[in-house]
Amino acid sequence: MTDTAGAAGAGVRRPAVPRAAWTRLAVYTAIAALLQADGTIVAVALPSVGSAFDVAAGTAAWLMTTYFAVYAVGLFPGGRLVDRFGPGAVALAGLAVFCAGTLTGALAGSFGVLVGSRVLQGAGAGLASPAALAGAVSGFPAERRGTALGVWGAASGLSNLVGPLLGGVLTEVWGWRANWWALLPLGLAPALCVLRWARPPAEIRRPAPGPGERPSMGAVRGASAVAALTFAVMIGSFYLVEQYLQHAAGYGVLRAALAPMAVALCIGAAGPVAGRLTDRHGERVPATAGFLACTAACAAYAVPGTAPHGLPLLPGGVLLGAGLGLLFPSTSRAALNSVPRRLHGRASSHLSFGRLAGAACGTALAGLAFRDGVTTGHLRLALAGGAVLAGAGAVVVLRWFRRPPAGDGGGDGAEG
């Protein structure tokens, strides 16, 4: 995998970014934040949904399982459509399907219809996700994409913070349907913005690349593996700490949510800085530092005698958030800069799939750690495993994220 340092050399002037590119970045980042927050908003409402339709907690969980399964399946055709028709057209189609599912869910009179609404939302997300990432960097030269992706990473971190808070308030004040009604304007607003500001004139039907023009996607798959490790560590640690604080430390739901909130704020703060560092030094240094920070954060609480709750939990949370913030822009930039712009849709779909797969594995492994009960000993053992996983991520980065030969800017490949 090429570590594209771009115009990082001393005395080299970085290419300018047009104002329209920043506008498109804002619009497509909003789409990504919506998709990121959707799962957490609905997750908070699951107990109320179960009560309303008289279904068990395990059955209500199908609202999440269905959404993410359809989302994952739709990513690869979505990526190919982005490469063929451009991110604007595919983002609009995805948001239209997503909003149709949202309206169906808000009006659902049975649990089966509500599950069907999540199928539609997942299908829309599968189209919109690769379009959002490809569109966000569409106006940035290869040497400046880290900066754009730093903003992207910050928005992802903050959406993880806003989602549970918004879902909790809506459910508490207006009931579970308010979550679906709120998602409707949140989906329509970026669609209108795409129509107004984010569809450049050049975005017309694109010819598919010929058989001899297809570069290797190996670097993209490697970055996808790094993304999977990142999300396995992030989501797994979130699950572990929240479960421990509620079931073993006696915290209430809101107080227990403060730990992942602190991590999310640190991700948001670190993202833009990490993006600039990636543009200046390439992907290898920030990504390695990110995984090492995550390793240290997990290992610190795996040591017997340390307090895994209260204020002593804060330093590790800050370190974990900073590490994750370093990883987001470097991983995405490594993938996107390894292929021509005409293949950014497919690269984005691989990255999104890696994140979803990593999140699923992280949650499953964390749940397995607590299968015999939520105890301090099980938490420490699980966090030790998280430290090993993050350490493996650092090794993968050192193996795959390499510096380019002198004079290689690692730009847009054949597309220039």
Side-chain angles (χ1 to χ4, degrees):
M1 182 178 296
T2 301
D3 182 2
T4 52
V12 178
R13 184 181 178 88
R14 293 192 301 169
V17 177
R19 184 175 179 180
W22 291 104
T23 303
R24 293 206 294 277
L25 171 63
V27 172
Y28 286 114
T29 297
I31 297 173
L34 165 68
L35 302 180
Q36 187 80 12
D38 173 76
T40 54
I41 290 173
V42 171
V44 174
L46 290 184
S48 296
V49 170
S51 298
F53 291 110
D54 194 25
V55 297
T59 304
W62 276 101
L63 295 175
M64 301 297 295
T65 303
T66 301
Y67 173 77
F68 286 117
V70 177
Y71 186 169
V73 170
L75 284 170
F76 293 109
R80 289 182 175 274
L81 288 171
V82 170
D83 291 336
R84 189 66 184 270
F85 299 105
V90 180
L92 286 172
L95 288 171
V97 176
F98 181 88
C99 289
T102 300
L103 181 60
T104 302
L107 299 172
S110 68
F111 184 74
V113 172
L114 195 60
V115 171
S117 79
R118 294 298 278 170
V119 171
L120 285 174
Q121 286 181 304
L127 291 173
S129 181
L133 181 53
V137 300
S138 60
F140 286 78
E143 299 85 353
R144 299 292 303 275
R145 285 178 188 148
T147 300
L149 292 165
V151 175
W152 176 281
S156 295
L158 293 175
S159 64
N160 283 319
L161 167 65
V162 172
L165 290 176
L166 179 60
V169 171
L170 291 171
T171 304
E172 190 72 25
V173 177
W174 291 289
W176 69 267
R177 289 185 191 274
N179 293 275
W180 273 261
W181 284 117
L183 286 169
L184 191 58
L186 290 176
L188 290 173
L192 295 175
C193 290
V194 170
L195 286 171
R196 175 65 179 84
W197 291 298
R199 295 189 71 192
E203 191 174 297
I204 309 171
R205 180 181 175 122
R206 301 174 179 180
E213 296 181 291
R214 300 180 188 274
S216 171
M217 296 288 284
V220 173
R221 295 187 183 99
S224 178
V226 174
L229 285 169
T230 301
F231 271 69
V233 172
M234 180 176 73
I235 302 301
S237 61
F238 278 17
Y239 178 89
L240 287 168
V241 172
E242 282 200 349
Q243 293 298 308
Y244 174 80
L245 292 178
Q246 291 186 57
H247 294 285
Y251 283 32
V253 175
L254 184 58
R255 191 180 175 198
L258 290 176
M261 285 179 194
V263 175
L265 285 173
C266 292
I267 294 173
V273 177
R276 291 192 293 271
L277 286 174
T278 302
D279 282 338
R280 184 171 297 275
H281 301 290
E283 296 94 4
R284 193 184 197 201
V285 172
T288 303
F291 272 126
L292 291 178
C294 293
T295 300
C298 292
Y301 298 110
V303 178
T306 55
H309 58 83
L311 285 178
L313 192 64
L314 185 59
V318 171
L319 189 59
L320 179 64
L324 292 169
L326 286 170
L327 284 164
F328 287 167
S330 55
T331 303
S332 298
R333 185 182 188 268
L336 294 174
N337 279 11
S338 68
V339 296
R341 189 177 287 113
R342 67 174 179 272
L343 292 179
H344 276 186
R346 263 166 276 194
S348 299
S349 65
H350 278 276
L351 285 170
S352 295
F353 185 83
R355 292 173 185 136
L356 286 174
C361 290
T363 304
L365 290 172
L368 189 63
F370 284 154
R371 70 187 183 280
D372 293 326
V374 181
T375 66
T376 302
H378 292 152
L379 174 69
R380 294 193 195 284
L381 185 61
L383 289 175
V388 172
L389 196 62
V395 173
V396 172
V397 166
L398 289 171
R399 168 66 180 84
W400 287 99
F401 287 15
R402 296 192 297 270
R403 291 192 180 280
D408 181 5
D412 272 330
E415 196 162 278

